[in-house]
Amino acid sequence: MDQMTLEEKVAQMCQYVAPNHIRDNVSKKGADKSMSGIDAIASDVLSSNDIARKIAAGEVGSCLHAFTVDEVNVLQSLAQRSRLKIPLLIGVDAIHGNGLHSGATIYPTAISIASSFNPELVKKSGRETAVEMRASGMHWAFNPNIEITRDPRWGRTGESFGEDPLLVTRLGVALIKGLQGDNGVEKDKVLACAKHMLGGGIPTGGINAAPAEMSEYSLRELYLPPFEAAVKEAKVFTVMPAHNEVNGIPCHANSYLLQTILRDEYGFDGFTISDWMDIERLVSMHRFAATEDEAFYLSVQAGVDMHMHGPNFLESIVKAVKEGRISEERINKAARKILEAKFLLGLFENPFVDVKKEGNKIFTPEHQQTALEAARQSIVLLKNENNILPLNSKSYKKIFITGPNANSQTILGDWAFLQPEENVVTVYKGIKDICKEAQIDSICFSTNITKMDPLLIDQAAEKAKEADLNIVVVGDNGLRYRSDRTNGENTDRDNLELPGRQQELLEKVYTSGKPTILILLSGRPLSLPWADQNIPAIVEGWESGSKGGQAIAEILFGEVNPSGKLPITFPQNVGQVQTFYNHKASQYSRRFALAKTGPLYSFGYGLSYTTYSYSEPVLAQNTIRKDGKTTVSFDVTNTGQREGTEIVQLYIQDEYASVTRPVKELKNFDRITLKPGETKKVSFDITPKELQFFGTEGKWIVEPGTFKIMVGGSSRDQDLKSTILTVN
Ligand code: GLC
């Protein structure tokens, strides 16, 4: 630091997109050309030459969206031309695997893997993603998205772990530890990034970046816990503020969030990175700052340490320091943390990647197996009338598969660029692999999910009549390089029905009168009450990644028993939004006119090919002091004919309190595997942590009174058994 000029220190706070022109140069050496999407990025603000020159002049601390090892090595060699030869931090949106990199292992998206309620599995996917990132020369994952999502119109629902603070917190901590290591950043791993702080999952009106309004209670009890744990338990090294404002103050200029809470209260000891030109948006979008200089100043003073892409930041901040408006100590704090990250990651010793040595660490059999296991545990069986599932693969001579998601890379979801065909098992391929004797026919509409040819739909209806079994694979398209996207970043919707003519296809296939199975591949809850009424079996396959089709086929034909449970509520229709399980008692004191009031499918709900029974829960002590603790125990029995894994859930309600409390809150969960007829005892501790709430004095408190302790296989009242704990 002492060797560095003020400019060089501020340069560490500057991140730019990796210039496509460097990639063009590199592409002459035959680097991967299948990447797309970068051209639109680099050219819109700075010319690629500018960025290359800045790097060589020591004016850049980090780059993002470099997609090949060759390009990364070129960027690092440019940085070696600067006076102090400080290596670059290379960041990338590795959201469920290093998906912007061709050939990477693509794990299920966050909403998908959240259905596993399996932190260890999430951690493992993070650890493997870090291996594939470092093998590609990348050091920083802009992940996890630990926002609480209560509005499925939001396109980034699929990028979140859902609506519940405990589940989001546990999976966020797990993913950060997988990416960084168990106790801070390890040399061979990557930085994680807790994002976006906060409130993006409750955008007013459902559109990304819209204002979020919340009480101090909601802030403290719903939206902050994942960030608090990310800092205190997982030692996340970076945090990214959200696009939106919270209660009138844009997150990128919100010192209450970024300084008072994040640093002063939580002790955050890393650095923050702005989101994509969101500091400039303080002027253009929020009308919060009158000039760009003012926006840069307010952001840095509020606690933003690094600027993601765009001109003028360096010059503006240097000027503000020279004018005494920003202290050099503030710059030192930011630069020190950014340099510390580079030392922790070993970049000063070696910023380059030896592609010969590293290339075989990507898409390895072990990583593929993790992706397959994650897909198997992510899939949720929503309906199975008369146990039509599992299907017997030998019972059907003619199977007809149809739908725009049947044989398409849409199964990968957002933040995944085009992958080699041989790396992706679609539903069609998965079924063909299992049903080797059957004649399989298909019309897959794979090119455009929103514009399906009506003639083809009619042809599909005819084929459905001739088949013994129809499998309809519909839902969303989250692929950001396709123009027919229906979910994903900046792809918010004003309804939750099947996009385009998919519903028409489903109904026409159904009217064939032949058995029809519905597979949803979606990155958000879809509201399909007609399907729930008419289709005998419905599987939520989410965006289950490289091996999704294999896992879905294994579940359809009974090789795997589904275990997934919903991490987010499925509304009857968009008119019910916001609807979530942990609601206050007064939320449904009245009913809708002309419509059902309850959700289509509840948080924590998911079926199995076996059944489970729960005993009445028993408390070790029925009465405790308010600083005391007890344990709730209950037996779970597999009352069916085949082995299964049940996600047991503990919910608690503080029955009467000085601030209104939710009717139930998830306070623990676990996955237990049971053979047919087997019984296991499950015990969960109940401590002040499970009983407390954020009170009117602005402190976490446990109030004396009665608490309803509920255990079961979903958040639905009919699935829960309860007992009462008294706190003195
Ligand atoms: C986007 C997203 C953010 C992502 C960043 C870089 O705008 O909001 O999550 O990490 O830009 O791609």
Side-chain angles (χ1 to χ4, degrees):
M1 293 280 286
D2 296 343
Q3 296 173 50
M4 296 171 79
T5 64
L6 172 64
E7 286 74 7
E8 285 166 333
K9 287 189 277 193
V10 178
Q12 289 303 305
M13 299 166 70
C14 299
Q15 181 185 69
Y16 289 90
V17 72
N20 54 350
H21 115 88
I22 289 185
R23 191 166 65 83
D24 296 346
N25 291 343
V26 166
S27 67
K28 291 192 186 73
K29 298 178 199 154
D32 188 327
K33 288 200 184 64
S34 69
M35 289 299 100
S36 67
I38 181 172
D39 306 353
I41 290 176
S43 56
D44 69 352
V45 180
L46 284 157
S47 85
S48 309
N49 291 314
D50 290 347
I51 297 171
R53 185 192 51 71
K54 284 174 182 289
I55 295 172
E59 295 174 14
V60 181
S62 169
C63 280
L64 77 152
H65 292 311
F67 300 128
T68 64
V69 179
D70 291 350
E71 178 170 11
V72 168
N73 283 334
V74 169
L75 294 175
Q76 295 291 10
S77 60
L78 282 169
Q80 291 303 310
R81 295 185 199 168
S82 65
R83 186 174 78 87
L84 294 172
K85 303 184 188 324
I86 299 173
L88 297 167
L89 263 181
I90 306 294
V92 68
D93 291 282
I95 307 302
H96 48 105
N98 195 16
L100 301 185
H101 192 272
S102 178
T105 308
I106 311 295
Y107 302 89
T109 58
I111 201 72
S112 315
I113 204 167
S115 308
S116 70
F117 282 69
N118 189 338
E120 274 315 300
L121 185 62
V122 170
K123 180 176 177 180
K124 191 172 183 200
S125 75
R127 187 166 53 243
E128 295 177 357
T129 300
V131 168
E132 298 201 11
M133 283 176 64
R134 289 307 297 269
S136 313
M138 300 165 195
H139 323 110
W140 182 11
F142 301 133
N143 203 25
N145 179 328
I146 49 175
E147 300 194 72
I148 304 292
T149 303
R150 286 186 152 182
D151 189 333
R153 294 174 295 179
W154 190 42
R156 304 187 80 165
T157 299
E159 201 181 314
S160 80
F161 291 122
E163 72 189 40
D164 178 71
L166 180 72
L167 182 61
V168 171
T169 294
R170 290 227 182 126
L171 299 185
V173 164
L175 187 44
I176 292 163
K177 289 187 171 182
L179 289 166
Q180 293 188 163
D182 281 326
N183 190 20
V185 177
E186 292 172 14
K187 191 166 193 168
D188 62 343
K189 297 210 167 34
V190 299
L191 306 183
C193 179
K195 75 183 187 182
H196 310 78
M197 198 176 186
L198 49 60
I202 48 164
T204 305
I207 292 180
N208 195 26
E213 298 287 340
M214 61 184 79
S215 67
E216 188 69 11
Y217 303 126
S218 306
L219 174 67
R220 295 286 175 174
E221 292 179 349
L222 291 170
Y223 304 104
L224 276 176
F227 288 92
E228 180 171 9
V231 171
K232 291 181 178 175
E233 288 176 44
K235 297 186 172 59
V236 71
F237 206 87
T238 73
V239 169
M240 185 184 296
H243 295 310
N244 52 280
E245 66 166 70
V246 172
N247 302 339
I249 310 293
C251 292
H252 277 74
N254 196 317
S255 59
Y256 180 53
L257 293 178
L258 301 179
Q259 187 62 43
T260 308
I261 294 177
L262 183 63
R263 287 181 166 92
D264 302 348
E265 275 188 45
Y266 294 170
F268 174 61
D269 189 25
F271 68 89
T272 66
I273 166 92
S274 83
D275 200 340
W276 181 267
M277 300 195 72
D278 267 315
I279 300 176
E280 291 81 354
R281 287 194 187 115
L282 295 177
V283 181
S284 58
M285 180 171 85
H286 289 290
R287 296 267 183 273
F288 185 77
T291 66
E292 208 173 66
D293 281 340
E294 189 63 8
F296 291 143
Y297 167 77
L298 289 171
S299 240
V300 169
Q301 292 296 75
V304 176
D305 296 310
M306 186 184 280
H307 173 244
M308 181 186 282
H309 194 66
N312 312 324
F313 178 78
L314 187 147
E315 296 76 9
S316 177
I317 295 301
V318 166
K319 182 163 162 284
V321 173
K322 288 182 171 167
E323 289 169 354
R325 297 175 69 225
I326 294 179
S327 70
E328 182 141 6
E329 183 42 37
R330 172 69 189 95
I331 303 305
N332 292 344
K333 270 189 199 154
R336 185 178 296 121
K337 282 296 152 191
I338 295 162
L339 290 170
E340 182 183 330
K342 297 179 180 182
F343 280 108
L344 287 172
L345 291 164
L347 300 188
F348 279 94
E349 285 79 14
N350 177 15
F352 296 101
V353 172
D354 174 352
V355 69
K356 285 179 286 305
K357 188 161 66 74
E358 301 294 312
N360 61 358
K361 292 180 181 175
I362 292 171
F363 204 67
T364 60
E366 187 207 351
H367 293 185
Q368 292 179 55
Q369 185 57 33
T370 306
L372 175 58
E373 190 50 33
R376 286 167 173 165
Q377 296 189 24
S378 300
I379 289 154
V380 184
L381 178 56
L382 294 174
K383 183 181 176 188
N384 189 17
E385 201 169 49
N386 306 323
N387 292 324
I388 181 174
L389 294 180
L391 304 164
N392 179 333
S393 58
K394 297 185 174 40
S395 305
Y396 302 96
K397 298 286 169 284
K398 294 180 70 178
I399 298 176
F400 177 54
I401 303 174
T402 186
N405 283 344
N407 198 21
S408 158
Q409 290 204 15
T410 47
I411 199 165
L412 303 180
D414 194 4
W415 297 110
F417 278 164
L418 184 67
Q419 296 301 319
E421 280 309 320
E422 65 275 14
N423 284 15
V424 182
V425 183
T426 62
V427 174
Y428 175 79
K429 288 181 196 169
I431 293 171
K432 266 185 87 68
D433 290 347
I434 288 187
C435 302
K436 294 191 174 15
E437 293 78 39
Q439 174 203 326
I440 294 182
D441 201 350
S442 68
I443 296 182
C444 290
F445 305 92
S446 296
T447 51
N448 191 316
I449 198 168
T450 56
K451 292 189 184 61
M452 292 156 57
D453 179 345
L455 294 178
L456 274 182
I457 292 177
D458 290 340
Q459 275 181 37
E462 288 312 304
K463 284 183 180 290
K465 290 174 189 157
E466 298 148 21
D468 306 326
L469 171 70
N470 296 310
I471 298 177
V472 181
V473 191
V474 291
D476 268 324
N477 165 23
L479 295 174
R480 57 180 46 222
Y481 56 87
R482 275 180 40 177
S483 59
D484 61 324
R485 278 178 98 190
T486 66
N487 82 291
E489 184 186 13
N490 294 326
T491 314
D492 316 299
R493 291 189 56 213
D494 70 346
N495 74 70
L496 299 174
E497 289 138 31
L498 287 169
R501 307 176 76 128
Q502 299 183 91
Q503 180 68 28
E504 179 188 339
L505 171 70
L506 178 60
E507 291 184 19
K508 286 187 172 171
V509 167
Y510 168 75
T511 47
S512 69
K514 297 296 183 64
T516 299
I517 310 291
L518 172 60
I519 311 289
L520 295 174
L521 298 186
S522 66
R524 62 158 49 90
L526 293 174
S527 296
L528 308 178
W530 180 89
D532 185 54
Q533 287 301 314
N534 296 284
I535 304 293
I538 303 174
V539 175
E540 177 58 74
W542 294 119
E543 300 159 318
S544 25
S546 300
K547 302 292 182 185
Q550 178 179 342
I552 288 168
E554 290 170 340
I555 284 173
L556 285 183
F557 293 96
E559 292 182 16
V560 169
N561 186 359
S563 61
K565 304 269 187 180
L566 293 180
I568 190 168
T569 301
F570 277 47
Q572 293 284 348
N573 68 58
V574 73
Q576 287 190 340
V577 171
Q578 291 180 9
T579 181
F580 40 84
Y581 88 91
N582 48 350
H583 59 78
K584 298 297 187 70
S586 60
Q587 172 127 2
Y588 298 111
S589 66
R590 272 77 169 165
R591 324 293 293 166
F592 280 121
L594 311 177
K596 281 186 185 171
T597 298
L600 185 60
Y601 305 116
S602 301
F603 174 84
Y605 167 82
L607 297 174
S608 168
Y609 291 148
T610 186
T611 51
Y612 303 96
S613 73
Y614 286 69
S615 71
E616 295 298 328
V618 174
L619 293 166
Q621 293 83 23
N622 289 310
T623 304
I624 59 171
R625 293 158 35 98
K626 70 180 187 176
D627 59 356
K629 62 176 280 208
T630 184
T631 301
V632 59
S633 300
F634 53 100
D635 290 339
V636 187
T637 302
N638 179 340
T639 49
Q641 308 305 314
R642 60 176 290 168
E643 180 173 302
T645 298
E646 170 74 330
I647 296 168
V648 301
Q649 301 155 51
L650 167 67
Y651 295 92
I652 294 182
Q653 176 188 20
D654 184 344
E655 293 195 307
Y656 303 93
S658 58
V659 177
T660 57
R661 310 301 312 133
V663 294
K664 57 176 77 87
E665 296 176 280
L666 182 70
K667 292 298 180 183
N668 214 331
F669 56 85
D670 199 1
R671 291 174 60 88
I672 57 166
T673 299
L674 296 165
K675 293 186 176 22
E678 186 182 6
T679 295
K680 277 184 184 168
K681 181 175 289 299
V682 180
S683 294
F684 290 127
D685 286 343
I686 297 175
T687 72
K689 192 170 180 321
E690 281 71 42
L691 302 175
Q692 66 185 11
F693 65 89
F694 193 75
T696 51
E697 285 75 39
K699 290 192 296 292
W700 289 92
I701 56 171
V702 175
E703 272 183 352
T706 55
F707 291 76
K708 193 173 178 187
I709 310 298
M710 297 162 266
V711 298
S714 95
S715 66
R716 302 185 312 176
D717 289 335
Q718 69 252 48
D719 292 330
L720 294 170
K721 292 192 171 170
S722 65
T723 184
I724 296 298
L725 170 66
T726 302
V727 174
N728 286 334

